[in-house]
Amino acid sequence: MSLLELSGIERSFGPVQVLRGVDLVVEAGEVVGLVGDNGAGKSTLMKTISGVYATDSGQITFDGDEITDLDPGSRREAGIEMIYQDLALAPQQDVANNIFLGREPTKRFLGILPAFVDKARIDAEAQRMIDSLGVQIPSIQIPVGMLSGGQQQTIAIARALTFKPKLVIMDEPTAALAVREVESVLRLIRQMREEGIATILISHRLNDVFKACDRVVVLRRGNVITDLKKDRTDMAEVVSYIVDAHE
């Protein structure tokens, strides 16, 4: 049984059909690169998986359960995390608070209401996650806005991994990063694979896709054009599918 199965996924915005019967399978612990030109439907497809967009038709199954009609919160509880290109971090808040943003653990003083945020637990668990990932940051108390782009990306990944996901969707995680920061992000993706976490990587950077992914799926005009094993293809072939050279 596959971890994620999409069957006949369609999605339109008014008269514009963005997804046209997409089928996709992702196995546990697999890294799948999703590539295609601008407007191919990559981000829309990922948002249908995470539940941000409802599907017009088709079915989504995750870890053996149908989740087609579940809301984003329920899909996160099932084990799907999505890291958006803008990262959705709070730049004025510190690293620890960003890792638990929106899901802060609470405690009650002497068991009496009201509950309040357990900052000591947040700091301790955030430090443990940062240490386990080998992320290099000055301090978990530093405001996220003071970190480099690569460091912020790793904080977004740490936030996703804190809640034990089975699938992480990453939208252009290496865009605009320096070479050294790119390698750090790719290392974390490989680390997730070793821990059995599946990843869908949306990227225009084919070098990064070939370094990190097991398979490459090409999306064009809302259709899956091809699904290739990385070790049975090369960048030239992938580009040829992206630019319609096979038509």
Side-chain angles (χ1 to χ4, degrees):
M1 180 181 65
S2 300
L3 177 65
L4 175 71
E5 296 183 16
L6 276 63
S7 177
I9 299 300
E10 297 190 355
R11 170 71 194 194
S12 297
F13 295 96
V16 180
Q17 187 169 3
V18 180
L19 301 176
R20 305 170 182 270
V22 173
D23 297 331
L24 180 67
V25 172
V26 178
E27 305 293 342
E30 185 178 34
V31 183
V32 177
L34 184 64
V35 302
D37 210 347
N38 292 333
K42 303 184 299 297
S43 292
T44 298
L45 180 59
M46 294 305 98
K47 289 176 181 177
T48 64
I49 296 173
S50 66
V52 174
Y53 293 151
T55 59
D56 296 331
S57 62
Q59 179 174 294
I60 304 174
T61 302
F62 185 73
D63 203 20
D65 297 319
E66 185 176 351
I67 63 167
T68 312
D69 297 324
L70 294 185
D71 59 44
S74 297
R75 297 192 196 197
R76 291 182 83 175
E77 290 178 3
I80 298 174
E81 290 282 345
M82 182 161 180
I83 302 173
Y84 295 94
Q85 190 170 2
D86 65 4
L87 301 182
L89 297 173
Q92 302 304 318
Q93 294 197 38
D94 66 27
V95 168
N97 282 337
N98 267 275
I99 289 176
F100 284 89
L101 193 64
R103 293 182 284 188
E104 296 86 352
T106 59
K107 67 178 179 180
R108 303 178 190 277
F109 183 67
L110 299 178
I112 303 173
L113 292 175
F116 60 94
V117 172
D118 189 346
K119 179 59 173 169
R121 180 181 169 190
I122 287 174
D123 287 350
E125 293 192 12
Q127 188 65 63
R128 186 159 48 249
M129 175 57 70
I130 292 297
D131 291 344
S132 71
L133 293 175
V135 174
Q136 300 298 315
I137 58 170
S139 166
I140 61 167
Q141 267 104 37
I142 192 172
V144 161
M146 296 181 64
L147 300 176
S148 70
Q151 289 171 325
Q152 290 186 31
Q153 184 64 249
T154 59
I155 297 308
I157 295 172
R159 180 175 61 189
L161 296 182
T162 298
F163 299 94
K164 309 297 182 185
K166 299 172 184 175
L167 170 67
V168 177
I169 303 167
M170 307 178 75
D171 191 358
E172 299 287 354
T174 58
L177 297 186
V179 173
R180 186 172 181 178
E181 294 180 323
V182 168
E183 290 304 319
S184 177
V185 171
L186 297 181
R187 178 184 61 78
L188 290 179
I189 293 173
R190 290 190 288 267
Q191 184 173 333
M192 287 191 289
R193 178 203 283 131
E194 292 171 1
E195 295 174 3
I197 301 169
T199 303
I200 299 177
L201 173 63
I202 304 173
S203 182
H204 284 94
R205 298 176 58 140
L206 291 184
N207 276 326
D208 298 343
V209 170
F210 272 80
K211 286 180 180 179
C213 297
D214 303 301
R215 286 166 42 220
V216 184
V217 175
V218 179
L219 196 66
R220 190 171 73 238
R221 303 191 194 102
N223 295 290
V224 171
I225 301 302
T226 190
D227 185 337
L228 303 165
K229 290 281 189 181
K230 181 187 71 174
D231 57 3
R232 297 180 183 176
T233 187
D234 56 31
M235 280 189 277
E237 183 182 20
V238 171
V239 169
S240 73
Y241 280 109
I242 292 174
V243 301
D244 297 3
H246 289 261
E247 292 188 351

